[in-house]
Amino acid sequence: MEDKTKLFREKAATYLCCYNEHCPRHAQCLRYEVGKYTDPKQHTTTCVSPYYAKSQDGTCEYFRDNQIRRLPVGMTGFYHDMPSHTERAIKNELIGKSCRATYYKYHRGERPIPPDVLATIEDVCRNCDWTQPLKFDSEVEDYVW
């Protein structure tokens, strides 16, 4: 993983940050942590409103856990053991649930697969009667942006 300071400075320029010190979950929030690395010369930024009611009571849907997680990467061998009709059904449904470009970014390993997408992949596979363990190319330790 890159140096945390450099990574967070790069992300702070375009990431949805949060500056709400009164949020009860700000100490565990990646958006708040990245917000501390905003360039002081940057006069505008995209952020969660500090007056947003859900950020005051700890139920903010923009919360991102600031813990590093192990995320699967790449699906080039994912379909290797599947029958072709199961492969087509799963692939078509996954593309339909996101979009073709996003699916192929995950497939080629250009983007780690976050937990919510992994849960969708698991659900689709189970709904298509695929019960074998899922095979990803590798894993990476990263933040869930």
Side-chain angles (χ1 to χ4, degrees):
M1 170 153 298
E2 291 182 57
D3 175 57
K4 182 178 172 178
T5 302
K6 180 181 176 195
L7 176 64
F8 282 14
R9 281 191 180 138
E10 289 172 4
K11 283 287 187 184
T14 58
Y15 190 58
L16 177 64
C17 297
C18 182
Y19 305 100
N20 187 352
E21 295 175 356
H22 302 292
C23 174
R25 295 173 34 177
H26 80 273
Q28 297 86 32
C29 186
L30 184 60
R31 294 189 191 283
Y32 182 82
E33 192 169 343
V34 171
K36 293 189 268 185
Y37 292 86
T38 304
D39 184 351
K41 296 175 187 164
Q42 184 176 338
H43 56 83
T44 60
T45 186
T46 305
C47 68
V48 178
S49 171
Y51 303 110
Y52 181 52
K54 289 187 177 185
S55 68
Q56 301 294 327
D57 66 10
T59 60
C60 180
E61 67 265 22
Y62 299 106
F63 173 82
R64 294 292 180 271
D65 192 350
N66 63 2
Q67 300 298 311
I68 294 175
R69 298 183 182 219
R70 295 187 65 76
L71 305 172
V73 177
M75 300 171 65
T76 58
F78 189 80
Y79 302 108
H80 181 70
D81 296 330
M82 290 183 191
S84 60
H85 68 280
T86 303
E87 174 185 346
R88 280 192 307 276
I90 291 171
K91 184 176 177 180
N92 289 338
E93 192 167 341
L94 291 175
I95 290 171
K97 287 189 178 287
S98 59
C99 73
R100 186 170 298 278
T102 301
Y103 168 82
Y104 279 105
K105 286 179 183 177
Y106 292 133
H107 182 81
R108 289 188 299 261
E110 295 173 12
R111 186 185 289 182
I113 300 170
D116 59 330
V117 174
L118 180 60
T120 300
I121 292 170
E122 290 170 344
D123 288 345
V124 167
C125 288
R126 301 308 173 241
N127 290 340
C128 292
D129 297 325
W130 185 253
T131 58
Q132 301 296 320
L134 304 181
K135 297 179 184 176
F136 297 97
D137 299 345
S138 63
E139 288 186 333
V140 65
E141 289 187 350
D142 199 357
Y143 295 97
V144 178
W145 299 102

